[in-house]
Amino acid sequence: MNAIVTSMIANLHEKPDEASELVDEVLYGMTVQIMEDIDDSWVRIQTAYRYEGYCKKDNLLVDEANTQTWLQEANHFINQSFADVLQQPQIQSTKMMTLVKGSIICSNPIDELDSEWAAVQLVSGEKGYVRRKWLQEKIPENSLTEQQLRENVVKTALSYLATPYRWGGKSPLGIDCSGLCSMAYMLNGIYIYRDANIIEGFPIKEISLEHIQKGDLLYFPGHIALYIGDDLYIHSSLGGNEVNINSLDEQHQQYRKDLAISITAVGSFF
């Protein structure tokens, strides 16, 4: 059975217990597959990027037909850190809900001459309005050239700069190292593995460090970063408390020796 996330952020736990470890966050409008019905409150789910965990039922709309329609028609995602969905296309209007970057939504054409507002449909079927510049059309897999994808992935990752570190996080409210890298790719049409290693069945393959380019991934023990060029990489660092940029160049002021000497692998989509 398939379902759609209806809360701003649905927590994914290691066990069907809110006190258990947060392993991931699934954002509004993302679809999931229900793997097991645990009890009245919990289900075990698998995300579109094949990550599994336990989620509260009240975060989901469990409806096969609606999910299939949503998969076909939910054609945009939020590209702003936060975006309010309003009842009317004016800033004084009542807020229906707030969505975070990466949330998926159905955008319905309205007056194309209105450059400020776009009409949207929520999972519930309710209609609302979002600033047009805060919406971005979903990018189909393999629709970008290599250079476009590399540049886009770096740009997307940089948009999370200074986001606080949150274990298991995947939004501008808080994000972890693999959350940052996976979102940078996901928002550009590519699903990579959610955790900090390379595994078979996902599109990242190992390359040598001397061949690294923008958008490739650096792996460390229990950590992952995204290379942005010129010996620089962006990562969500537990030690740094937020998303920041460091360098592999020991002469650079942002050099981190502990990471530079502990690279375990370099991964590339190409």
Side-chain angles (χ1 to χ4, degrees), residues 60-72:
L60 305 171
L61 171 65
V62 183
D63 186 302
E64 187 70 34
N66 277 349
T67 303
Q68 293 305 318
T69 300
W70 186 258
L71 280 168
Q72 295 171 14

Side-chain angles (χ1 to χ4, degrees), residues 42-209:
W42 291 91
V43 287
R44 182 168 63 88
I45 66 168
Q46 183 182 76
T47 67
Y49 43 95
R50 307 205 302 275
Y51 208 75
E52 294 190 14
Y54 295 89
C55 180
K56 295 291 290 290
K57 288 181 176 178
D58 56 14
N59 290 312
L60 305 171
L61 171 65
V62 183
D63 186 302
E64 187 70 34
N66 277 349
T67 303
Q68 293 305 318
T69 300
W70 186 258
L71 280 168
Q72 295 171 14
E73 297 182 358
N75 48 8
H76 284 74
F77 66 85
I78 301 296
N79 66 5
Q80 173 75 2
S81 293
F82 308 96
D84 288 338
V85 180
L86 304 177
Q87 287 185 347
Q88 299 296 328
Q90 55 190 39
I91 58 173
Q92 301 90 346
S93 182
T94 301
K95 181 185 72 175
M96 300 171 69
M97 73 180 305
T98 300
L99 302 178
V100 296
K101 187 183 186 74
S103 301
I104 297 171
I105 201 161
C106 184
S107 178
N108 299 311
I110 55 172
D111 185 357
E112 295 298 329
L113 297 178
D114 187 341
S115 60
E116 186 172 3
W117 297 97
V120 295
Q121 179 181 315
L122 299 175
V123 176
S124 63
E126 294 176 282
K127 302 294 196 301
Y129 296 87
V130 172
R131 290 182 184 273
R132 190 181 295 274
K133 66 180 180 180
W134 293 351
L135 288 177
Q136 182 173 325
E137 193 168 357
K138 287 169 70 174
I139 298 173
E141 185 177 3
N142 298 323
S143 62
L144 301 175
T145 66
E146 176 177 344
Q147 195 57 37
Q148 285 175 324
L149 181 57
R150 289 187 183 279
E151 294 291 341
N152 279 17
V153 165
V154 169
K155 182 179 178 182
T156 302
L158 289 171
S159 73
Y160 288 90
L161 263 178
T163 297
Y165 182 92
R166 174 187 286 174
W167 182 271
K170 210 167 65 186
S171 85
L173 285 170
I175 200 164
D176 66 10
C177 61
S178 57
L180 172 68
C181 294
S182 62
M183 287 301 292
Y185 273 87
M186 188 187 304
L187 296 183
N188 289 288
I190 304 295
Y191 289 137
I192 67 170
Y193 187 51
R194 168 69 168 91
D195 284 347
N197 50 355
I198 300 173
I199 69 167
E200 192 174 345
F202 286 84
I204 299 299
K205 64 180 184 295
E206 189 167 354
I207 62 170
S208 59
L209 182 59

